Amino acid sequence: MLRRTFLGLLGAAGLGAALGKPAHAAGAQHFQGYPGSFGVLFDSTRCIGCRSCEAGCNKVNELPPPPEPFDDLSVLNTKRRTHAWTYTVVNRYDNIPGAAGPVYKKWQCNHCLEPACASSCFVRAFTKTPQGAVTWDGTVCVGCRYCMIACPFEIPTFEYSEPLTPRIMKCTLCYPQITSGKLKVPGCVGACPVEALVYGKRSDLIKIARERFHTFPGRYLNQIYGEHEMGGTNWLYISGVPFSALGMREDLGVTPAPELTSGALATVPIVAAAWPVLLTGIYAINKRKDKIARQEEAQAVARAVAQAQAEAGAKLKKAMTKAEAEQKAAIEREVKRALEEAVKGQSQEGE
């Protein structure tokens, strides 16, 4: 609501008229995906919730270790989501009608054919690659975090712990490692011990899913989640229980995200054009804040130094007074002892 209010104020101020006509975020033609693009098929009937995929992802992406080790399955007692240092998580779902036991679901970026994050980004920091992955370019990102709001799967996360160089963090489908030849399959896929994950061309994955439906009648729902949802994704899912029971949204329809957001994002180019003006103002405000902060810091340091000097002077004076008193007492003791010895010596001579 605050962001919408902000955009409304920009429009009321006349920035939209001054800076040109806004452009829509997407055209009317639906993008069917790059031919031969790759993806992953997740089979929830095979997943055992071992978290090996989490460990594999963490290793190949060189992410910080989690608070709980990957063999600690007690974390499955709480529903988790991805964050800046965790590109994928596995959750457990209990007491699902018709299921023989717990069912597991792996969460990560779905790498949409027409990503909502990309359609909402006015600096084009997100790219849908021909290989299938949705990547992020930190050299152009301005940190507006529209992508976090736009994603229907709530995947992109922000590095709030990095005040100077925060990044938008999410699964990359191991695009850098695969394109450079370091990996042949994503880290999570290679780490799965039960082949609940299959990496390959998206068209082949759909065929594999349908073959499993035919080979194991009654095991699966006749639906491949991600084949059409939100215009389609490169990460696909098959399951023996309703996807809604696994926390997955089934209200998304088949319309690609850019078509849904084009009207709402029509104002975004206004912000893009106004960005230099806004940044200049923010820069000036920050410079003034920095100047005031430096002055306050200098004053605080001066007060601290003066206080320290005063305390040191008082301690020195007290120490000198104590030393003088001790020295005086020592002299008095020595004089008294000398007098006593003199008197004692005279007494001995008189005898």
Side-chain angles (χ1 to χ4, degrees), residues 48-63:
I48 59 175
C50 65
R51 300 184 64 200
S52 295
C53 56
E54 295 184 30
C57 173
N58 181 276
K59 180 179 179 180
V60 300
N61 288 289
E62 300 180 352
L63 299 172

Side-chain angles (χ1 to χ4, degrees), residues 46-316:
R46 296 190 178 193
C47 181
I48 59 175
C50 65
R51 300 184 64 200
S52 295
C53 56
E54 295 184 30
C57 173
N58 181 276
K59 180 179 179 180
V60 300
N61 288 289
E62 300 180 352
L63 299 172
E68 304 84 3
F70 290 109
D71 58 0
D72 182 359
L73 301 185
S74 66
V75 300
L76 299 177
N77 296 330
T78 303
K79 297 299 182 291
R80 299 174 297 150
R81 61 155 295 174
T82 60
H83 55 70
W85 307 281
T86 305
Y87 290 171
T88 186
V89 297
V90 174
N91 284 331
R92 185 185 68 218
Y93 298 86
D94 299 305
N95 304 317
I96 299 177
V103 183
Y104 302 93
K105 159 71 169 64
K106 181 180 180 298
W107 295 86
Q108 72 295 304
C109 176
N110 287 320
H111 299 276
C112 304
L113 299 185
E114 294 190 78
C117 56
S119 70
S120 66
C121 182
F122 57 83
V123 295
R124 299 184 180 181
F126 288 91
T127 300
K128 178 65 177 180
T129 66
Q131 290 80 3
V134 176
T135 61
W136 173 79
D137 183 359
T139 63
V140 297
C141 178
V142 296
C144 69
R145 286 163 280 176
Y146 277 106
C147 55
M148 296 172 62
I149 298 173
C151 178
F153 305 108
E154 300 180 351
I155 292 300
T157 56
F158 191 71
E159 263 188 325
Y160 290 101
S161 62
E162 291 291 336
L164 298 179
T165 58
R167 297 171 292 174
I168 295 293
M169 305 293 279
K170 72 173 192 68
C171 160
T172 64
L173 203 59
C174 287
Y175 176 80
Q177 295 91 335
I178 291 176
T179 54
S180 65
K182 293 181 180 179
L183 292 176
K184 292 184 178 180
V185 299
C188 60
V189 178
C192 182
V194 293
E195 297 184 357
L197 299 167
V198 181
Y199 179 72
K201 291 184 178 180
R202 185 176 185 271
S203 56
D204 293 338
L205 297 178
I206 294 175
K207 293 178 182 178
I208 292 173
R210 300 209 180 281
E211 287 175 1
R212 291 186 184 180
F213 295 169
H214 177 74
T215 305
F216 304 100
R219 177 186 291 186
Y220 300 96
L221 298 178
N222 188 23
Q223 179 185 357
I224 305 173
Y225 192 101
E227 183 179 10
H228 303 295
E229 281 75 11
M230 292 297 293
T233 63
N234 279 77
W235 202 283
L236 305 169
Y237 304 82
I238 53 178
S239 171
V241 299
F243 291 104
S244 58
L246 303 180
M248 302 172 69
R249 295 183 60 179
E250 293 194 291
D251 61 339
L252 299 175
V254 298
T255 304
E259 292 185 26
L260 297 175
T261 58
S262 60
L265 293 172
T267 321
V268 170
I270 298 177
V271 182
W275 203 255
V277 178
L278 295 175
L279 287 181
T280 301
I282 293 172
Y283 176 76
I285 294 172
N286 286 336
K287 288 289 288 184
R288 177 173 174 78
K289 287 172 63 179
D290 290 342
K291 181 179 179 180
I292 295 174
R294 286 195 298 270
Q295 292 175 347
E296 292 177 347
E297 182 180 0
Q299 293 172 358
V301 170
R303 287 195 298 269
V305 171
Q307 182 179 356
Q309 289 177 341
E311 292 176 353
K315 290 180 180 179
L316 178 61

